[in-house]
Amino acid sequence: MSKTNSFALIPQTDKKMKKRIKLVPPDGGWGWMVLLGTALTNIFNQSMLSLCTFLYGDALEAMGYATQGAALVLSTMLFVSNLGGPIAGAVVKLSSPRFVSVTGAVCCSVGILFSGFSTNIWHLVLTYGILLGLGLGFIQNASFVSINGYFKERKSLAVGLAMAGTGVGQTLMPHVVRYLLENFGFKGACLLLAALSLHGICGTLLLQPVEWHMKKVEEEVEVDEKMHLLEDSNKDAPKTKDHNANGNVTFKGTRRATEPTLCSEIGAESPKKSLSQSNKELQVHSNGKSIEKLNGNYVVPTPKKTMFRKIYDLFDISLLSSPRFINVIVGTAITVVSIQNFSMLYPLFLQKKVFLDKQQTANCMSAVALADIVGRLTLPMFQDKYHIKARTMLIMTSIWLIVVRQILAYQTDVYVLLAMSALYGFGRSMVIVARNIAISDQCRMDQVPSAVGLGMLSIGIIVPPAGLFLGWIRDYTDSYIICITAQNLFLVVFLAMWIPDMLYLYYQEKREKRKKIEQAIS
């Protein structure tokens, strides 16, 4: 073997490992208090989603409205809560998640309070539909952004624990509302529910900025000594000024005044120059652009943003330029539409198709809620343990829901229905938990508020027409089984949108890993 070849086999490197301090999310610590506050808020506020007909049903009948009036109030609330998502995302960027969540909790309390004095359906639309809906949208967006900032490795578990508060509220609050209506009447029940809703404000105050609780960790970084020597030589290199034929100032060294950066000029100005001349001059480049000289520095002026551009940046509309992001938010919206419509249809299915009484219907609904809580606590642990992505979990649980609901539609035995209700609630929990996580995975950390807001907006746009379409199918066919099948077809459309993209991502990652291995071997 020659000397040259022998020398080539000796690894030559000037790289060394150095340590640096890095700030990372605590993945716990005060984050557990944030979860407690979010759960407390969800118990007394988010649970109001399922109490519309139960709390306001008799009042609507006294006003001369029945099912259509309840549908109008509930649809308004769902539309406003999802429309409030992008607004909440913009306000979060301008202020903080705690400010937005406190504002939302106040709106919820005020909406419930004033709804007790309603004498017309439009009073309920304004109080329950708009005020409560806007408050719920603010709370949902801001609380997820706060949790997303505190947790990185255990994000799914954290979101599951926080969302478990909604399940607890949906289990307990119907019994509380029944007791209050029987003993204090409609107005008294609304006043006491508004007082309970004030506990949500206490919970939102626990959402402290994550910057207060960031954890310091040491990490090793690879430093190339040759690069440091090159930087030092550049710093020490003398820079002399020269003027070219166009009058531009250039520096002999590493920088030129024509670069779009701040270029410091070496050398003192003549004392004979006036103050205005020495502090501010205008130089014109050969490309037609001008730079301003301020206190001996050359600065390229940045163009002022128009109002449209500011709004564009505030709401991060650039996210919509990604086909994958659009696919994600539309897909998650379709899953929410399917789940919400089944939740509204299920009590009617049990009473009118299976002919269960109110107590048996309540037992089936409680089975759904209890299994939902169990799922929100256990499925995120399973996801974290096996490192399953949120989008993959959504696909798996959607297939689970299709099978369970299609079997449930043909059952008549009450015990079988209780078991199927529990299986449905267990699968439904992961769709609710993983929805916002799947959206946040498609963007940077600073874009999360806007991304979640755009996801909520897509739900608000899709829910009304999809709900009317599914209701029309039920009325036209007079069949609950066909309507449940149509709801499952929505999930089939969702799977057709996501599975090809997930397969493409899987093979792309596999190809990139193979390239890295080949490069390492070579």
Side-chain angles (χ1 to χ4, degrees), residues 419-454:
M420 298 304 296
S421 297
L423 292 175
Y424 167 73
F426 188 76
R428 183 188 72 172
S429 63
M430 197 59 208
V431 175
I432 297 172
V433 170
R435 177 173 64 89
N436 284 336
I437 298 176
I439 294 173
S440 66
D441 288 343
Q442 308 303 314
C443 59
R444 302 190 310 267
M445 182 67 71
D446 61 303
Q447 294 177 320
V448 169
S450 299
V452 174
L454 291 171

Side-chain angles (χ1 to χ4, degrees), residues 127 140 148 178 222 246 248 277 286 406 408 434 453 489 517:
T127 55
Q140 182 179 342
N148 187 72
R178 179 189 59 79
E222 198 175 53
N246 294 320
N248 293 330
Q277 289 176 331
S286 58
Q406 202 62 41
L408 185 148
L489 288 177
I517 293 172

Side-chain angles (χ1 to χ4, degrees), residues 354-416:
V354 190
F355 304 107
L356 300 183
D357 57 30
K358 289 187 177 181
Q359 184 60 50
Q360 291 172 325
T361 302
N363 291 338
C364 289
M365 299 303 295
S366 296
V368 173
L370 290 173
D372 187 286
I373 295 173
V374 174
R376 296 185 193 199
L377 296 176
T378 57
L379 285 176
M381 296 187 209
F382 173 81
Q383 179 186 356
D384 290 339
K385 182 178 180 180
Y386 295 100
H387 304 288
I388 303 175
K389 294 181 179 179
R391 292 184 69 186
T392 305
M393 287 297 294
L394 276 172
I395 291 174
M396 294 168 59
T397 50
S398 295
I399 295 173
W400 173 282
L401 292 178
I402 291 172
V403 174
V404 169
R405 293 195 309 198
Q406 202 62 41
I407 295 174
L408 185 148
Y410 293 93
Q411 304 305 313
T412 57
D413 185 77
V414 64
Y415 296 105
V416 176

Side-chain angles (χ1 to χ4, degrees), residues 238-257:
K239 305 183 193 68
T240 58
K241 132 180 116 168
D242 192 12
H243 296 266
N244 58 21
N246 294 320
N248 293 330
V249 180
T250 59
F251 297 96
K252 296 177 180 178
T254 58
R255 295 186 178 181
R256 301 179 64 184

Side-chain angles (χ1 to χ4, degrees), residues 179-288:
Y179 175 81
L180 294 177
L181 287 173
E182 290 176 356
N183 292 275
F184 301 98
F186 172 68
K187 185 179 293 185
C190 289
L191 293 176
L192 291 171
L193 286 172
L196 290 175
S197 178
L198 291 173
H199 290 76
I201 300 177
C202 300
T204 54
L205 290 174
L206 295 175
L207 273 62
Q208 294 183 359
V210 68
E211 291 79 10
W212 296 2
H213 303 279
M214 295 292 277
K215 185 170 58 176
K216 294 181 180 179
V217 296
E218 284 188 354
E219 68 172 3
E220 290 187 342
V221 293
E222 198 175 53
V223 180
D224 194 339
E225 294 295 331
K226 287 184 177 180
M227 293 300 296
H228 277 285
L229 291 174
L230 181 60
E231 289 177 5
D232 293 338
S233 64
N234 288 338
K235 288 179 181 178
D236 297 335
K239 305 183 193 68
T240 58
K241 132 180 116 168
D242 192 12
H243 296 266
N244 58 21
N246 294 320
N248 293 330
V249 180
T250 59
F251 297 96
K252 296 177 180 178
T254 58
R255 295 186 178 181
R256 301 179 64 184
T258 55
E259 294 177 356
T261 55
L262 184 64
C263 301
S264 298
E265 182 181 1
I266 307 300
E269 296 291 336
S270 172
K272 294 182 180 179
K273 286 187 176 180
S274 65
L275 184 62
S276 60
Q277 289 176 331
S278 60
N279 287 343
K280 189 174 182 180
E281 292 180 1
L282 193 66
Q283 301 289 339
V284 180
H285 290 271
S286 58
N287 57 8

